[in-house]
Amino acid sequence: MTGGRARTAPPWSYAVDPETWPDARITGEPAAAVVQTIARRLAAALRERPELSLRALAAQSNVGRQTIGDLLAGAGWPDVLTVCRLERALGLALWPGSNTTQCVHD
């Protein structure tokens, strides 16, 4: 199944207070909560590495800078390959419950 109804609205739109994304409470769409967790973990990783810009992460991960920005803003639904590439580039798990050996290590 590709997308379905869940993808008609961006993840941030399921937040009770969208202005506080990615820290807002999510209602109505469990997949939006997963994207929110990924966005939180990605934002935290970037804060911990101030030398790593979106452009540098895009180059290291082979994920577009706009795609990374959309993920951070809750504006897009990342696919598994995107998350895996970001995890590998960062060396940490972004997916909730992820086993870091899946994408981070070959």
Side-chain angles (χ1 to χ4, degrees):
M1 182 171 113
T2 309
R5 283 188 291 219
R7 292 195 181 203
T8 59
W12 64 261
S13 69
Y14 294 97
V16 173
D17 186 10
E19 293 80 29
T20 62
W21 177 272
D23 298 314
R25 189 169 58 86
I26 299 292
T27 60
E29 181 52 57
V34 172
V35 175
Q36 181 185 47
T37 299
I38 294 168
R40 282 183 188 153
R41 290 178 181 178
L42 178 56
L46 290 169
R47 278 193 304 274
E48 291 172 7
R49 301 175 193 181
E51 75 286 353
L52 186 61
S53 66
L54 290 186
R55 184 169 294 179
L57 179 57
Q60 289 177 17
S61 65
N62 200 27
V63 172
R65 184 190 55 77
Q66 185 64 49
T67 300
I68 297 169
D70 286 348
L71 173 55
L72 288 167
W77 297 92
D79 60 25
V80 174
L81 181 59
T82 297
V83 175
C84 193
R85 284 179 173 172
L86 290 170
E87 286 184 341
R88 184 172 289 169
L90 293 167
L92 59 91
L94 298 174
W95 186 265
S98 178
N99 177 348
T100 58
T101 61
Q102 295 300 313
C103 285
V104 177
H105 307 287
D106 287 329

